[in-house]
Amino acid sequence: MRKPRTALRTTTTAAVSAALLAGTALAGAPTAAAAPAGTAAPPGIRFVDIAGDGGTVLKANVVTPAGAEEGRRYPVIVLPTSWAMPQAEYLVQARKLADAGYVVVSYNSRGFWQSGGHIEVAGPPDVADASKVIDWALAHTPADPERVGMAGVSYGAGISLLAAGHDKRIKAVVAMSGWADLIDSIYSGRTQHLQAAGLLGGAGLLTGRPSAELQQTLKDFLGSNLSKEQEMMAWGAKRSPAAYLDRINANGAAVMLGNAWGDTVFPPNQYASFYEKLKGPKRLEFRPGDHATAEATGLLGLPNDTWTNAHRWFDHHLKGADNGIDREQPVQLKSRSTGGYEGYPDWKSVGAAERRIALPDSRKVYANVDSGANGGIVMLSSILDQSLKLPPMAAVPLLPRPFAAVWQSERYGSAQHVRGTAKLHTTVTSTKPSGTLVAYLYDVGPLGLGKLVSHAPYTFHDKAPGRPFAVDLELFSTAYDVPAGHRLALVVDTVDPLYIEHNPSGARLTFSSPSSDPSYVSVPLREE
């Protein structure tokens, strides 16, 4: 397996630097660190040290309801911080929850900022830490042991889900912009998500102390060390809530999941798949945006639908409030195009209708060249789509055909409401045993300008040169409206700065459509 090119690394370094700045501004406020020793905390807030797993000190803050009555127990919510964020991250929401009658304990995940230990990437010590924090809350606050909830954004979401599979005391979870399957998040299509991994690794180095295991894993991952692939996948599985699904279902916590369509760190597909397999009370929400941007305004105390529903979820499942959240359609989607909400009874109902676009004839492309079609830049591109409805674009008629395979549908006489997961089926023949392809679905207007609807990478190894093989690829789930008079285009090329590509120099890929196994892209549509 080759290492990525120097030029690609340079591009990614710049992208990650920009994304870190954007992420700090948009997804991390407030960013104040804990109050120094001897400094008075804001009214109603205590800064404390909690002994985590193995005695590791976790810096935490506690907010209790004003005028808490002696002897009365209150529902408690534990909030692990996001990756690279200080313990003050959730203070605004903690105050709101406390005002609503909750004890709230937020703590800095181990290895970051002032907490002790090393970054374990939601490993066993992080899961054990969550239980230790619950223990502390029950011993040192008026927390009710029968009404325990956990919530978090990103890293905090993953830890909360994992904890729900290991601690039966947890009755409700809200996991925002998190992951259920770590492998399917940053290694989907057997392709390293270069910018996402670089963003996480860079932020960890800036704000914490990566463990030796994490440093080695990142080195092997970004260095394309195929000999360690199975070892890395086992490492990721241990940190994936999906691996503990049976335990989560057995423990019975009510689980609310929220994510963004354009999340470049934890794409939505893996959350949707996990949601479908949950057996207890559950809710799934998808909105426009990128990683943690759907929840960001709520961290600042501004109106925010995700946090509003998180409060309603806890009110119902921890306080017994009859607020109607259990009677709403459990799958709630917000379209990238209209901004309106749509409710569905389950995930499979989202794209109940289907339109297949045939991919006839053969297309041959030369590898190693970026055709101009790409998925954008981690964090920045999906934020532009969220705020200005400006997704990555490409002039489809001008894409160089030697480096990009292009198929287009007919012009549609009515709007096409794309909902869910588009799927590509094709036959590939490579001149080399390894390779990477990236498929893009574009909304193409009358002038040929394509707006990215979805995309996904795919990598193969150990294929016999010259021998055709089938490829089935799920594009990242989305909700996008193609206007009447537009058409859809599928574009496939071999290079995208978001990913590490594995095309040997001089490689060529041929896409064909045998009569016995025709190629197509299946587009899920909202049932009208």
Side-chain angles (χ1 to χ4, degrees):
M1 184 188 269
R2 294 181 308 108
K3 293 187 178 181
R5 294 176 174 77
T6 302
L8 188 56
R9 287 192 183 277
T10 302
T11 301
T12 303
T13 300
V16 168
S17 299
L20 281 169
L21 294 173
T24 300
L26 291 169
T31 58
T39 301
I45 299 172
R46 287 189 293 144
F47 290 106
V48 299
D49 290 351
I50 296 176
D53 184 51
T56 297
V57 174
L58 305 174
K59 296 293 183 177
N61 54 65
V62 183
V63 190
T64 54
E69 300 174 12
E70 183 72 25
R72 181 181 173 184
R73 292 288 184 176
Y74 297 85
V76 59
I77 296 175
V78 174
L79 301 168
T81 54
S82 303
W83 185 269
M85 296 308 301
Q87 71 183 81
E89 177 185 11
Y90 299 116
L91 279 181
V92 171
Q93 286 298 325
R95 291 293 296 267
K96 288 178 179 288
L97 287 164
D99 289 345
Y102 292 91
V103 172
V104 185
V105 182
S106 174
Y107 69 95
N108 226 125
S109 303
R110 67 167 53 222
F112 287 106
W113 294 90
Q114 293 171 312
S115 283
H118 292 84
I119 302 171
E120 303 290 347
V121 194
D126 293 293
V127 178
D129 283 346
S131 291
K132 291 289 187 180
V133 173
I134 294 173
D135 293 341
W136 185 94
L138 297 179
H140 296 88
T141 74
D144 186 342
E146 299 301 318
R147 295 186 290 170
V148 177
M150 284 195 70
V153 176
S154 184
Y155 196 45
I159 292 174
S160 295
L161 286 174
L162 286 162
H166 290 79
D167 194 322
K168 295 181 179 180
R169 295 173 297 182
I170 299 169
K171 299 297 189 293
V173 171
V174 177
M176 297 167 275
S177 290
W179 75 92
D181 188 326
L182 192 58
I183 301 299
D184 199 33
S185 294
I186 61 173
Y187 196 49
S188 68
R190 207 179 177 188
T191 308
Q192 297 101 319
H193 293 213
L194 176 60
Q195 290 188 15
L199 172 63
L200 295 173
L205 283 170
L206 286 173
T207 61
R209 299 167 300 282
S211 67
E213 183 183 33
L214 171 56
Q215 294 182 58
Q216 185 60 52
T217 301
L218 270 176
K219 180 180 178 180
D220 291 336
F221 183 79
L222 295 174
S224 302
N225 186 352
L226 257 190
S227 68
K228 294 293 186 70
E229 184 180 38
Q230 292 305 312
E231 185 177 320
M232 287 186 284
M233 293 179 73
W235 178 88
K238 185 185 295 185
R239 291 157 169 79
S240 296
Y244 307 96
L245 181 68
D246 290 346
R247 292 188 191 180
I248 294 172
N249 284 332
N251 290 349
V255 177
M256 173 179 155
L257 305 172
N259 204 358
W261 294 119
D263 194 320
T264 45
V265 179
F266 304 128
N269 302 46
Q270 44 94 34
Y271 244 18
S273 175
F274 180 71
Y275 169 83
E276 283 291 87
K277 297 169 186 173
L278 288 170
K279 297 188 182 301
K282 58 184 180 179
R283 182 179 178 93
L284 177 67
E285 300 182 354
F286 283 139
R287 297 178 175 85
D290 206 312
H291 186 62
T293 64
E295 303 84 27
T297 56
L299 294 175
L300 295 168
L302 300 174
N304 182 276
D305 291 349
T306 309
W307 280 102
T308 295
N309 288 338
H311 286 235
R312 294 175 63 220
W313 189 254
F314 285 130
D315 286 349
H316 180 72
H317 290 286
L318 297 182
K319 296 168 70 176
D322 184 14
N323 54 21
I325 197 167
D326 57 320
R327 296 187 293 275
E328 296 173 359
Q329 296 276 39
V331 176
Q332 294 286 322
L333 311 182
K334 191 173 187 180
S335 168
R336 290 166 51 200
S337 303
T338 65
Y341 282 98
E342 302 166 2
Y344 299 86
D346 47 40
W347 177 251
K348 64 177 178 290
S349 300
V350 170
E354 177 194 66
R355 180 185 293 271
R356 284 193 176 187
I357 302 172
L359 309 178
D361 308 321
S362 291
R363 301 282 195 276
K364 180 183 294 185
V365 299
Y366 292 88
N368 314 124
V369 176
D370 189 342
S371 70
N374 65 68
I377 298 174
V378 66
M379 294 298 295
L380 300 181
S381 296
S382 290
I383 290 174
L384 288 174
D385 185 35
Q386 175 186 8
S387 57
L388 301 174
K389 291 184 171 57
L390 291 175
M393 299 182 189
V396 174
L398 301 181
L399 292 174
R401 296 314 193 254
F403 309 114
V406 180
W407 297 266
Q408 296 193 75
S409 72
E410 75 282 2
R411 294 188 188 279
Y412 297 118
S414 60
Q416 304 294 296
H417 304 287
V418 180
R419 299 290 185 274
T421 309
K423 300 175 182 177
L424 168 65
H425 174 76
T426 189
T427 296
V428 176
T429 305
S430 175
T431 59
K432 304 289 184 178
S434 296
T436 297
L437 60 94
V438 187
Y440 309 89
L441 188 65
Y442 283 102
D443 160 24
V444 184
L447 299 179
L449 183 64
K451 294 184 177 181
L452 189 64
V453 177
S454 184
H455 80 286
Y458 181 92
T459 292
F460 58 89
H461 296 288
D462 303 320
K463 297 296 184 182
R467 180 175 297 175
F469 60 94
V471 169
D472 288 286
L473 174 62
E474 288 192 352
L475 277 61
F476 300 136
S477 303
T478 194
Y480 182 97
D481 298 336
V482 179
H486 288 212
R487 65 177 85 217
L488 284 169
L490 181 78
V491 177
V492 182
D493 71 2
T494 63
V495 175
D496 190 309
L498 284 172
Y499 310 108
I500 292 179
E501 50 97 357
H502 300 269
N503 298 294
S505 298
R508 297 189 307 277
L509 302 181
T510 300
F511 302 92
S512 58
S513 182
S515 58
S516 59
D517 186 20
S519 295
Y520 61 87
V521 59
S522 171
V523 180
L525 301 175
R526 186 181 70 195
E527 199 164 51
E528 302 298 336

